[in-house]
């Protein structure tokens, strides 16, 4: 996994209410977020997001009042695997981006940094530290078909073409033939190791800022939309059908983090 350049290898929820997030997402997605996590820098805890197959899908970082005072807000962030965190951060900064959190070593986990591209979209880059005897094990948090996993990674960017050039250069992603969305422009697909993992498109004017959206798969979008509302969240868009027969819904959890879901329309 340490050499799996360009793979999304982890998903993290930053939230001001970890217990509330557990109640919401466990019901919505069938996860089992840990009730108590490991101590993390800054006096907070880090809770693992466990799927029903017993494997982790990501983590929950509970925001402290100090983090919030310094601008941290509830959100979902993806981790992209890179062979050299420091070199990647330098390349991002030279392109006009920035490091929100400098490259840091976490013993037994790896080296990582939180960054933002030149258009303001935030994400992590990471060189994971393989567990003893498991140097060849790869992350399975992304799956195009498996429920409870992320099935799509979508970037809405102020300058889609420039963003596409930057990210493909950084991570070695390939570019399948884009889809013409008419007045909305081209939907630029991105692929890692021959598998399409998401897309980049031009941010609509009504969207406040550039950003990544990660779509988690559920068995039924109509049922999930009802669960969002029943759990105190908001349905921001959808459900509606997308090419390929799936349906999507965009939502906001009760703590204020935006998220997306993909699944069947029944």
């Amino acid at each position: 996994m340490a050499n799996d350049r360009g793979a999304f290898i982890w998903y993290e929820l930053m939230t001001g209410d970890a217990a509330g997030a557990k109640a919401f997402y466990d019901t919505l997605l069938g996860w089992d977020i840990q009730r108590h996590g490991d101590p993390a820098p800054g006096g907070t805890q880090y809770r693992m997001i466990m799927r029903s197959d017993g494997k982790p899908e990501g983590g929950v970082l509970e925001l402290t009042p100090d983090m919030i005072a310094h601008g941290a807000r509830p959100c979902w962030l993806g981790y992209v695997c890179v062979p050299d965190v420091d070199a990647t951060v330098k390349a991002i900064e030279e392109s006009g981006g920035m490091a929100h959190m400098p490259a840091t070593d976490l013993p037994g986990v790896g080296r990582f940094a939180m960054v933002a591209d030149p258009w303001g979209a935030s994400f992590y880059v990471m060189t994971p530290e393989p567990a003893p005897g498991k140097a060849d094990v790869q992350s399975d948090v992304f799956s195009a078909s498996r429920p409870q996993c992320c099935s799509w990674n979508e970037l809405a960017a102020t300058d889609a073409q420039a963003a596409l050039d930057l990210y493909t250069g950084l991570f070695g992603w390939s570019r399948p033939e884009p889809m013409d969305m008419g007045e909305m422009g081209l939907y630029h697909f991105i692929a890692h190791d021959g598998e399409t993992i998401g897309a980049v498109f031009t941010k609509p004017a009504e969207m406040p800022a550039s950003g990544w959206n990660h779509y988690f798969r559920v068995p039924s979008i109509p049922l999930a939309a009802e669960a969002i509302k029943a759990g105190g969240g908001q349905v921001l868009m959808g459900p509606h059908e997308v090419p390929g027969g799936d349906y999507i819904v965009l939502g906001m959890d009760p703590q204020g983090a935006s998220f997306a879901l993909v699944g069947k329309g029944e």
Side-chain angles (χ1 to χ4, degrees):
M1 181 168 65
N3 297 318
D4 198 13
R5 178 191 178 206
F8 277 93
I9 57 172
W10 198 252
Y11 297 98
E12 181 176 285
L13 171 64
M14 298 173 64
T15 181
D17 179 5
K22 172 179 173 60
F24 179 77
Y25 287 104
D26 281 7
T27 300
L28 179 63
L29 281 155
W31 290 338
D32 183 10
I33 298 174
Q34 291 179 329
R35 294 184 181 278
H36 304 285
D38 296 324
T44 187
Q45 289 189 353
Y46 200 85
R47 296 165 168 83
M48 302 292 281
I49 299 172
M50 304 303 297
R51 305 190 307 245
S52 57
D53 62 5
K55 296 181 179 181
E57 180 63 18
V60 175
L61 178 68
E62 188 163 33
L63 298 172
T64 65
D66 183 62
M67 292 175 183
I68 295 172
H70 284 83
R73 294 292 182 268
C75 66
W76 279 96
L77 297 175
Y79 282 65
V80 182
C81 184
V82 296
D84 187 330
V85 168
D86 297 79
T88 304
V89 171
K90 181 180 179 181
I92 290 169
E93 291 177 330
E94 289 176 347
S95 74
M98 64 179 293
H100 289 311
M101 184 182 74
T104 303
D105 288 311
L106 191 59
V109 176
R111 187 166 178 80
F112 65 103
M114 185 195 296
V115 296
D117 69 22
W119 306 278
S122 297
F123 58 99
Y124 285 96
V125 291
M126 184 177 190
T127 303
E129 181 181 328
K134 297 183 177 180
D136 296 329
V137 173
Q138 294 187 333
S139 169
D140 68 351
V141 300
F142 177 86
S143 171
S145 60
R146 191 168 59 244
Q148 301 184 0
C149 292
C150 181
S151 287
W152 198 250
N153 304 283
E154 186 180 75
L155 173 63
T158 306
D159 187 336
Q161 187 60 58
L164 189 68
D165 292 342
L166 174 64
Y167 281 94
T168 54
L170 286 173
F171 303 136
W173 293 339
S174 57
R175 311 182 189 191
E177 189 69 21
M179 178 176 65
D180 191 340
M181 300 191 296
E183 293 183 356
M184 293 182 64
L186 294 177
Y187 195 65
H188 300 275
F189 296 109
I190 52 175
H192 167 259
D193 198 23
E195 180 181 23
T196 302
I197 59 172
V200 178
F201 70 103
T202 300
K203 178 186 75 66
E206 62 271 19
M207 186 178 290
S210 296
W212 281 96
N213 216 352
H214 305 289
Y215 289 69
F216 296 99
R217 183 164 290 278
V218 295
S220 167
I221 285 294
L223 292 179
E226 292 304 315
I228 291 170
K229 292 180 282 189
Q234 301 176 52
V235 173
L236 303 179
M237 187 183 78
H240 67 72
E241 189 175 7
V242 293
D246 274 331
Y247 283 70
I248 63 169
V249 65
L250 305 185
M252 181 177 290
D253 70 25
Q255 292 74 43
S258 298
F259 64 94
L261 303 176
V262 59
K264 301 302 179 185
E266 54 189 25

